[in-house]
Amino acid sequence: MTTEEINDYGAGSIKVLEGLEAVRKRPGMYIGDTSERGLHHLVYEVVDNSVDEAMAGFCNKIKITIHRNESITVQDNGRGIPTDPHPYNGRPTSEVVLTVLHAGGKFGDGAYKVSGGLHGVGVSVVNALSEWLEISIARDGIERNQRFEFGKPVTDLSEGVPAKWQGTKITYKPDANIFENVHHSLEILKGRFKELAFLNPGLNISVHDERTNEERNYYFEGGIEAFVKYIDRDRNALFSKPVVFSGTRDGVAIDVGFEYNDGYQEHMYTYANLIHTAEGGTHLIGFRTALTRAVNEAARSNKILRDKEDNLTGDDLKEGLTCVLSVKLSEPQFEGQTKTRLGNSEVRGAVDSFVYESVIAAFDTMPDIVKPIVEKAVRARHAREAAKKARELVRKGAMSGMNLPGKLADCSSRTPERAELYIVEGDSAGGSAKQGRDRTFQAILPLRGKILNVEKARMDKMLANREIQTIITALGCGIGNDFDAGKLRYHKIIIMTDADVDGAHISTLLLTFFYRHMPELLSQGYLYLAQPPLYRVQSGKTVNYCYTDKELRSIVDNAADPSKVSVQRYKGLGEMNPEQLWETTMSPANRILKKIELDDNFLADEYFDILLGEKVEPRREFIIANAHEAKNIDV
Ligand code: 28F
């Protein structure tokens, strides 16, 4: 930018230009990072503006299109961004919104923006990080357009023509020089749109992926009640329908839905201004306190809890609870490592008093639900006491050192950063792995018995399972509240199973166990799936291993004489001799490890729920689809 340009624009706009330059210079400061996450953040930023318009009551349709060139269109049927001259610099308000950093908050009326405390950086940031952006506004029967490049207007807002529609439409192309990769993931976007549709009953959000022609439409009249039912769709609820209530207390809008099911896990989804608060916060604390107090009171007045029995605790009430809690407030404070914990202290009391009163009222109108809740919580308390004893036994076992499980073939390295543990399905594969491994840093733990479905089992029962005990002892890091990553003996934990449906099932059970009881292994990136080859292909003296069907085809097709190629399909690890197993699956030089990463709680829970819920059919289909997916890994 030259001095002349600055002068041309006048003093007021110097700040404008600096603003968007700053965004291009340090995009991370505004959207977190320039990875896949940051790229999707742009979409959310634009969609959030439409959602705000919907929450203000003027829009009920949002349409998102992913184009083949990875540009994105978002269109809503709201009032259209105002286009009248803005007092800031006399330019159309829509242009100010797109070119002035934080124009949304600073220039609009403060109460307008409700969503996007985390996003909420304003659509000017999207503009700044786009090669080009085009906006169409159809307002008061007139449509106008304007185009921007790298955040700067390259046309004026057009004069306007009669409009056949109403609302705002923005199309932008993310700047490929800013983002590491400009490929949008429909899976990631769908998750967020579905969540937004649940949290905004009556809002229709559709997405069309022109790259694959896939279309999805999300619309839930029932809102949070539908959300709770959806989360529990494969579980058996103890109520005929979720308890739901909505209201405002001390300026905080509160929406809650919950029910109990016959499972043992808690499924808690909390939101502040539509942001998923994965780390919880003051709204969650307020909810738990209120629920605990209300249940204890109802339990005593209904004589379900006897006078000499202790009060139920918040932990006792977690088992089988499925809950969605959404709050909206004007100045949310987000704290914590991932800025997903609500910090506003005033929210705690507001949620507490509102939830307490509402739950007491719900118990009055639905007295039938009190007993099942209390009975379940009392059983949870007993199980928790039993689990504590079992955990102490496990801990004592681990403390006494030396007694590592007999089945473990440990490695000689005592450096966790270097040491690897292979958890192997079956004794015969375990035997090959023991012979084939590099014993200096690779330990082998063969599993034979049945692994418990921890999704369906209680902690005490789970800790009594031999295979689970063996794993806990081998890892050395304890479990649950006693978990200590510092004591972990291996920083690579590799699950190695056959590439078939049984293998996929076993690895899923193991992953679920780690996810539920040692989640740090996943967040730290210590957990991997081994990828054994599917085929051994020999032509003449050359041997190739193929990990995908595609690879197999290309090798066979490219062979000098395809008819002389011999293909062996591996049905299990056991069919490989120790040398082959080492060469294909264990040697750091050749092996493919799939790192298990969980960055989104919502999707993560979904994944395990599909796999381990009560209904068998969806699970079977998913495992098969998933086993297939594992074959199609990128090599
Ligand atoms: C594709 C993305 O951005 N939709 C939007 C509106 C409507 C209004 C508005 C937006 C005024 C000055 C803050 C209209 N009429 N979709 C969108 N629809 N912004 S963004 O106003 C913005 C405020 O700055 C709107 C009356 N009031 C508000």
Side-chain angles (χ1 to χ4, degrees):
M1 179 174 61
T2 64
T3 324
E4 218 172 324
E5 269 177 279
I6 294 174
N7 292 337
D8 280 353
Y9 280 98
S13 57
I14 294 177
K15 226 162 100 202
V16 176
L17 293 172
E18 276 176 358
L20 290 194
E21 281 312 317
V23 177
R24 292 183 56 79
K25 224 179 249 162
R26 287 183 215 280
M29 292 255 297
Y30 299 88
I31 54 162
D33 57 46
T34 54
S35 68
E36 186 179 59
R37 186 169 291 183
L39 181 79
H40 292 89
H41 200 128
L42 299 188
V43 184
Y44 303 151
E45 197 58 56
V46 182
V47 171
D48 276 354
N49 285 308
S50 299
V51 172
D52 278 324
E53 184 67 356
M55 286 197 294
F58 298 100
C59 153
N60 63 2
K61 269 199 177 68
I62 306 174
K63 199 178 142 192
I64 299 102
T65 310
I66 310 170
H67 302 288
R68 298 183 75 113
N69 66 354
E70 300 292 345
S71 64
I72 298 284
T73 297
V74 180
Q75 178 170 3
D76 66 46
N77 66 347
R79 289 167 294 180
I81 306 184
T83 54
D84 48 327
H86 196 281
Y88 175 66
N89 55 4
R91 305 293 298 166
T93 297
S94 52
E95 184 183 308
V96 175
V97 165
L98 280 162
T99 52
V100 181
L101 207 48
H102 289 124
K106 230 188 251 164
F107 298 87
D109 91 74
Y112 180 73
K113 202 165 178 62
V114 187
S115 79
L118 188 67
H119 314 135
V121 290
V123 70
S124 64
V125 168
V126 177
N127 195 16
L129 302 178
S130 294
E131 286 175 30
W132 53 264
L133 179 149
E134 288 176 354
I135 186 165
S136 300
I137 296 161
R139 183 176 164 85
D140 302 329
I142 298 172
E143 176 179 343
R144 296 167 200 271
N145 309 290
Q146 189 172 16
R147 180 177 166 96
F148 302 80
E149 289 175 8
F150 305 102
K152 294 178 186 157
V154 293
T155 68
D156 277 332
L157 185 65
S158 67
E159 272 305 312
V161 293
K164 295 197 183 67
W165 56 290
Q166 184 186 294
T168 307
K169 179 166 109 171
I170 288 177
T171 303
Y172 69 92
K173 184 156 193 288
D175 188 341
N177 286 320
I178 291 209
F179 292 95
E180 291 157 29
N181 183 339
V182 291
H183 178 84
H184 292 91
S185 155
L186 180 64
E187 283 313 302
I188 293 176
L189 294 175
K190 278 194 309 200
R192 176 62 180 159
F193 298 154
K194 186 173 204 174
E195 192 178 36
L196 280 173
F198 274 129
L199 294 170
N200 294 281
L203 176 62
N204 190 315
I205 306 181
S206 66
V207 54
H208 180 196
D209 188 343
E210 290 183 345
R211 302 166 306 182
T212 56
N213 232 350
E214 186 172 342
E215 274 188 87
R216 285 296 146 100
N217 195 15
Y218 301 109
Y219 169 82
F220 303 104
E221 222 164 49
I224 281 189
E225 181 177 336
F227 198 167
V228 171
K229 280 187 181 159
Y230 173 79
I231 297 167
D232 267 355
R233 67 197 173 288
D234 291 334
R235 281 181 276 266
N236 308 310
L238 303 186
F239 310 170
S240 55
K241 66 188 181 69
V243 177
V244 289
F245 38 88
S246 298
T248 302
R249 178 77 38 110
D250 303 333
V252 184
I254 304 164
D255 290 278
V256 184
F258 75 90
E259 69 184 10
Y260 278 86
N261 59 58
D262 65 358
Y264 303 110
Q265 301 295 333
E266 183 189 49
H267 299 266
M268 173 69 73
Y269 293 99
T270 64
Y271 297 84
N273 290 16
L274 307 184
I275 304 295
H276 180 208
T277 37
E279 296 171 285
T282 48
H283 51 343
L284 176 57
I285 296 170
F287 172 83
R288 283 206 202 285
T289 316
L291 181 69
T292 309
R293 199 163 73 247
V295 171
N296 274 308
E297 225 174 87
R300 299 231 182 254
S301 64
N302 288 292
K303 307 256 178 276
I304 310 170
L305 205 58
R306 272 165 284 142
D307 288 345
K308 62 176 177 37
E309 284 181 286
D310 283 344
N311 261 352
L312 299 163
T313 67
D315 279 343
D316 297 332
L317 283 160
K318 284 182 181 176
E319 277 196 12
L321 172 64
T322 295
C323 174
V324 176
L325 165 64
S326 168
V327 299
K328 289 171 193 141
L329 59 157
S330 56
E331 278 179 57
Q333 301 292 317
F334 291 99
E335 303 173 345
Q337 274 210 320
T338 54
K339 292 267 176 273
T340 56
R341 184 174 68 236
L342 185 66
N344 303 58
S345 56
E346 72 279 9
V347 171
R348 179 185 172 153
V351 173
D352 183 338
S353 79
F354 179 74
V355 170
Y356 172 75
E357 286 167 21
S358 309
V359 172
I360 290 288
F363 286 165
D364 275 346
T365 48
M366 296 182 277
D368 293 0
I369 65 175
V370 179
K371 208 171 166 205
I373 297 179
V374 176
E375 284 175 349
K376 184 155 182 101
V378 168
R379 280 198 304 272
R381 174 159 72 192
H382 293 150
R384 219 152 44 84
E385 283 157 3
K388 196 170 161 211
K389 286 197 192 107
R391 220 167 38 228
E392 269 156 17
L393 287 179
V394 169
R395 185 166 44 194
K396 275 190 200 126
M399 299 254 268
S400 61
M402 298 319 290
N403 54 7
L404 285 166
K407 301 199 298 180
L408 174 74
D410 209 1
C411 56
S412 43
S413 171
R414 287 288 168 268
T415 314
E417 289 80 8
R418 181 163 143 74
E420 303 178 345
L421 176 68
Y422 274 83
I423 301 178
V424 187
E425 168 189 6
D427 276 341
S428 93
S432 293
K434 279 181 194 175
Q435 288 177 51
R437 67 176 172 151
D438 181 336
R439 65 176 57 239
T440 60
F441 67 98
Q442 293 180 319
I444 309 293
L445 181 65
L447 290 186
R448 183 182 12 181
K450 252 185 102 166
I451 306 155
L452 218 61
N453 183 343
V454 296
E455 197 76 352
K456 287 196 260 175
R458 275 235 174 80
M459 187 84 165
D460 52 336
K461 204 172 151 205
M462 185 193 79
L463 289 173
N465 179 271
R466 286 279 294 275
E467 302 302 306
I468 298 280
Q469 278 177 4
T470 309
I471 295 169
I472 299 171
T473 317
L475 293 179
C477 55
I479 183 171
N481 293 337
D482 298 330
F483 182 87
D484 179 356
K487 294 212 180 98
L488 185 63
R489 303 178 62 248
Y490 314 91
H491 280 192
K492 274 202 176 72
I493 299 149
I494 303 162
I495 300 172
M496 186 159 75
T497 60
D498 291 338
D500 60 9
V501 174
D502 279 349
H505 193 210
I506 290 169
S507 55
T508 307
L509 287 169
L510 286 169
L511 289 178
T512 310
F513 166 69
F514 289 127
Y515 171 68
R516 292 286 179 214
H517 300 285
M518 302 184 183
E520 265 183 74
L521 296 188
L522 286 87
S523 59
Q524 300 274 342
Y526 293 154
L527 205 54
Y528 298 83
L529 290 180
Q531 305 287 335
L534 296 177
Y535 305 100
R536 178 180 188 274
V537 184
Q538 184 153 17
S539 73
K541 281 197 176 128
T542 329
V543 174
N544 277 297
Y545 296 97
C546 302
Y547 297 81
T548 65
D549 287 316
K550 199 168 143 195
E551 227 184 327
L552 172 68
R553 244 175 286 125
S554 107
I555 286 191
V556 173
D557 291 348
N558 292 330
D561 181 358
S563 66
K564 287 251 168 70
V565 177
S566 83
V567 177
Q568 180 195 352
R569 186 186 162 87
Y570 287 123
K571 286 191 213 72
L573 298 166
E575 291 174 34
M576 275 184 269
N577 64 37
E579 293 74 31
Q580 289 169 335
L581 193 60
W582 163 257
E583 200 178 318
T584 61
T585 317
M586 298 180 72
S587 140
N590 302 335
R591 71 184 176 192
I592 300 166
L593 294 183
K594 189 170 171 181
K595 194 180 206 158
I596 304 300
E597 282 171 310
L598 292 180
D599 48 13
D600 192 296
N601 241 337
F602 181 72
L603 292 174
D605 258 3
E606 291 277 289
Y607 177 88
F608 291 108
D609 290 347
I610 295 171
L611 287 166
L612 299 155
E614 294 296 329
K615 286 188 188 154
V616 177
E617 252 331 283
R619 169 163 77 242
R620 223 180 66 85
E621 281 164 23
F622 194 90
I623 288 173
I624 292 168
N626 207 45
H628 174 73
E629 207 160 81
K631 288 177 204 165
N632 292 335
I633 41 165
D634 291 325
V635 190

